[in-house]
Amino acid sequence: MLSIRHLSKTYANGVRALRDISLDIPNGMFGLLGPNGAGKSSLMRTIATLQDPDEGSIRLDDMDLLADKQATRRLLGYLPQEFGVYPKVSAEAMLDHFAVLKGVVAKGERRELVEALLRQVNLWDVRKRKLGSFSGGMRQRFGIAQALIGDPRLVIVDEPTAGLDPEERNRFLNLLAEIGERVVVILSTHIVEDVTDLCQRMAIIGQGQLLLAGEPYEAIRAL
Ligand code: ADP
Ligand code: ADP
């Protein structure tokens, strides 16, 4: 269970992106829904310890995520909204590179890991292809493979379905649902169906405030 308490963040330009957010996120798929500018990415980046809140705490079970960022990054997988890859590098080589960055040093171990991950996201057959030739859906599945290096206990996925066609979207969401059976997955999105289709719990934020949290159908009925 991820427990967020009294999280607030005001940027240097005066925008209050997070206003006293408190939220419990149990194991499984959790949807964070809100319009553009609501504060979803700010919350995702803060949980991923990529930016500091002004106030508040974040705990995963008994661990304080903000206290030891290095330890947090070891147990966290993150697919940012703007996920950059080198277009001229093959999927296999790029994933190997990400594994090095995550501290998997032994070459043989990396080879096994890269193969297992590429198979899991169904990109093994196209492993030699350059990332620049991938469709949006393939790129997002590659992004998930990268986020799963190191067996994370918490996976954060920021607006992953924007720009995917319906088939790619379904394929991608099914993959996330599989992962959500094992670990906490937080999916941020402005698309209601992403949440109603596969999340067990959800929250809605607007203008940096938590508007409601609960089970998707209950929550949406309450709107
Ligand atoms: P801080 O976020 O640390 O308070 P800044 O406001 O200067 O500092 O912004 C940090 C980074 O976020 C910069 O790279 C900036 O270009 C980017 N940024 C600034 N304003 C926005 C915005 N409205 N939406 C998204 N990114 C922004
Ligand atoms: P969402 O992901 O829901 O679209 P964001 O967290 O990106 O929302 O943005 C929330 C608010 O904070 C917006 O008004 C946005 O312009 C502003 N913002 C986001 N990042 C920055 C930043 N680095 N610096 C200044 N303002 C930012």
Side-chain angles (χ1 to χ4, degrees), residues 112-127:
E112 282 178 25
L113 175 66
V114 164
E115 175 168 350
L117 289 171
L118 288 173
R119 286 189 188 283
Q120 187 180 353
V121 301
N122 222 336
L123 291 174
W124 176 247
D125 293 343
V126 292
R127 65 191 177 278

Side-chain angles (χ1 to χ4, degrees), residues 9-193:
K9 172 71 176 178
T10 300
Y11 288 111
N13 60 4
V15 173
R16 290 178 67 196
L18 301 175
R19 304 177 188 220
D20 195 25
I21 291 199
S22 294
L23 183 63
D24 283 333
I25 301 183
N27 284 341
M29 287 286 306
F30 189 91
L32 181 69
L33 191 61
N36 285 330
K40 300 185 296 297
S41 290
S42 296
L43 183 57
M44 301 289 93
R45 289 197 301 262
T46 305
I47 297 170
T49 71
L50 298 172
Q51 68 180 32
D52 285 323
D54 300 326
E55 276 175 62
S57 68
I58 309 172
R59 306 184 72 86
L60 182 64
D61 300 324
D62 51 5
M63 189 182 157
D64 179 349
L65 295 195
L66 300 175
D68 185 346
K69 289 182 188 172
Q70 289 213 328
T72 298
R73 303 230 178 123
R74 276 197 295 275
L75 58 80
L76 178 105
Y78 180 50
L79 177 55
Q81 192 172 2
E82 277 150 38
F83 174 56
V85 292
Y86 296 103
K88 295 190 171 161
V89 176
S90 74
E92 186 176 43
M94 190 81 220
L95 198 54
D96 183 71
H97 177 66
F98 280 124
V100 172
L101 293 181
K102 280 244 183 151
V104 187
V105 282
K107 209 167 175 176
E109 190 188 337
R110 282 208 310 278
R111 198 180 308 118
E112 282 178 25
L113 175 66
V114 164
E115 175 168 350
L117 289 171
L118 288 173
R119 286 189 188 283
Q120 187 180 353
V121 301
N122 222 336
L123 291 174
W124 176 247
D125 293 343
V126 292
R127 65 191 177 278
K128 304 283 184 202
R129 269 177 58 182
K130 292 187 172 129
L131 290 165
S133 76
F134 275 19
S135 69
M138 291 162 83
R139 211 166 306 164
Q140 290 300 62
R141 280 186 279 133
F142 178 79
I144 286 294
Q146 161 278 133
L148 292 178
I149 295 169
D151 281 327
R153 282 167 61 197
L154 171 64
V155 175
I156 295 177
V157 191
D158 198 357
E159 299 252 12
T161 61
L164 301 191
D165 67 36
E167 195 187 316
E168 283 179 332
R169 171 181 171 274
N170 285 341
R171 203 165 184 185
F172 182 80
L173 292 180
N174 286 336
L175 173 63
L176 278 191
E178 257 173 58
I179 297 162
E181 287 171 11
R182 290 176 277 129
V183 297
V184 183
V185 177
I186 307 177
L187 164 71
S188 107
T189 181
H190 61 272
I191 303 169
V192 176
E193 287 77 20

